[in-house]
Amino acid sequence: MKLIVGIDFGTSTTVVRYKEEGTDNILPVKDSNGTSDVIPSAIFRMAGHKESLYGQEALNASKGGIEGELITNFKMGLLESDDDKRKEKESQIKEFMCYIHKRFSQVTKGLNPDKIDVYVSYPAKWSDSFIDFMKEAVGKAGFGEKVKGSTTYNNIYGVNYMQASFKRLAAKQTKKLSIPEKQELFDRFSSIASVWVKVSSLVAKAQSLHR
């Protein structure tokens, strides 16, 4: 069994969906409260504790008067010109991705897929270095698979917000393929798109709620 996972890591919220390849049953990765489909992109460092809180628990701790530090907007730290500040934000992103993988592992426990393909969204304006960082962060969090001898993850893919470009690319490439290869490519695209349409709609809903 193969799972396809879509991750939209946003400045304020993160949305994750997954499905078994070949099916239309798209399922959410919920926050630790077990109810929210939209996970706040937040970390809370509790004073005097080694453990940190993530997602909605982080926001609740901050609002509840618990002593500590609330960390948000760390995605924007990738644009930081100061090397030390950027590295700090990169570390926070990696930490948060580990939390996302933990939630994914908990909700998919017992499925035991043979393979997982992960698609991570990114803005069109991002440079290749930012995209590579996000793919590496997601891979190191536990989602990644490497071919022996390879230095990169072979199952982590970047997805531009402009989904139409994927469809145009697929259509263009099929001109050179055999009919079975065309069918395989379109099945793959449909599988990716079905996850991503759901992710995109939920992100839009979450953004409207935060305005």
Side-chain angles (χ1 to χ4, degrees), residues 8-26:
D8 186 69
F9 169 52
T11 304
S12 58
T13 58
T14 295
V15 175
V16 186
R17 291 290 181 272
Y18 70 96
K19 58 168 284 185
E20 183 178 344
E21 187 178 44
T23 72
D24 295 321
N25 188 24
I26 302 171

Side-chain angles (χ1 to χ4, degrees), residues 49-66:
H49 293 266
K50 293 182 179 180
E51 298 83 6
S52 296
L53 301 176
Y54 306 92
Q56 190 58 50
E57 283 191 346
L59 298 184
N60 291 344
S62 178
K63 294 176 182 178
I66 297 176

Side-chain angles (χ1 to χ4, degrees), residues 4 8 10 15 27 29 45 49 53 70 77 85 96 108 118 125 130 136-137 160 178 183 196:
I4 296 177
D8 186 69
V15 175
L27 299 169
V29 173
R45 307 274 192 231
H49 293 266
L53 301 176
L70 178 65
K85 291 181 179 179
F96 187 72
T108 59
V118 184
K125 64 181 180 181
F130 291 164
E136 181 181 5
N160 191 294
S178 65
Q183 186 61 53
W196 211 253

Side-chain angles (χ1 to χ4, degrees), residues 9 78 93 97 120 126 130-138:
F9 169 52
L78 293 177
I93 291 171
M97 285 300 111
V120 186
W126 271 23
F130 291 164
I131 298 168
D132 289 342
F133 167 77
M134 280 306 308
K135 290 163 64 176
E136 181 181 5
V138 170

Side-chain angles (χ1 to χ4, degrees), residues 6-209:
I7 301 176
D8 186 69
F9 169 52
T11 304
S12 58
T13 58
T14 295
V15 175
V16 186
R17 291 290 181 272
Y18 70 96
K19 58 168 284 185
E20 183 178 344
E21 187 178 44
T23 72
D24 295 321
N25 188 24
I26 302 171
L27 299 169
V29 173
K30 296 185 177 182
D31 207 349
S32 58
N33 58 17
T35 59
S36 177
D37 288 352
V38 179
I39 304 173
S41 302
I43 301 172
F44 187 79
R45 307 274 192 231
M46 294 186 291
H49 293 266
K50 293 182 179 180
E51 298 83 6
S52 296
L53 301 176
Y54 306 92
Q56 190 58 50
E57 283 191 346
L59 298 184
N60 291 344
S62 178
K63 294 176 182 178
I66 297 176
E67 186 178 354
E69 176 190 9
L70 178 65
I71 304 170
T72 58
N73 299 323
F74 34 86
K75 177 180 178 178
M76 299 307 296
L78 293 177
L79 304 176
E80 180 62 59
S81 58
D82 183 277
D83 287 344
D84 291 336
K85 291 181 179 179
R86 186 179 65 256
K87 288 179 180 179
E88 179 184 19
K89 296 304 178 182
E90 288 177 350
S91 178
Q92 291 165 357
I93 291 171
K94 292 177 180 178
E95 179 182 351
F96 187 72
M97 285 300 111
C98 286
Y99 171 69
I100 293 300
H101 181 261
K102 179 180 179 181
R103 294 302 311 146
F104 171 77
S105 297
Q106 289 176 338
V107 300
T108 59
K109 186 177 181 179
L111 292 181
N112 298 318
D114 299 318
K115 183 172 176 55
I116 298 175
D117 278 353
V118 184
Y119 296 84
V120 186
S121 69
Y122 63 88
K125 64 181 180 181
W126 271 23
S127 69
D128 289 343
S129 62
F130 291 164
I131 298 168
D132 289 342
F133 167 77
M134 280 306 308
K135 290 163 64 176
E136 181 181 5
V138 170
K140 284 188 175 180
F143 287 103
E145 299 173 359
K146 286 184 178 180
V147 176
K148 186 175 181 180
S150 174
T151 59
T152 59
Y153 296 102
N154 65 328
N155 68 318
I156 310 294
Y157 307 93
V159 180
N160 191 294
Y161 286 156
M162 299 175 66
Q163 294 303 306
S165 62
F166 272 80
K167 191 170 185 178
R168 288 197 299 270
L169 177 61
K172 181 178 180 181
Q173 292 300 317
T174 54
K175 295 178 181 179
K176 305 175 183 179
L177 301 179
S178 65
I179 290 179
E181 288 173 329
K182 288 180 182 180
Q183 186 61 53
E184 180 181 356
L185 179 58
F186 278 115
D187 286 347
R188 184 178 181 82
F189 172 77
S190 298
S191 188
I192 296 167
S194 63
V195 173
W196 211 253
V197 166
K198 184 69 172 178
V199 170
S200 299
S201 64
L202 285 167
V203 170
K205 180 180 178 181
Q207 290 174 339
S208 67
L209 293 173

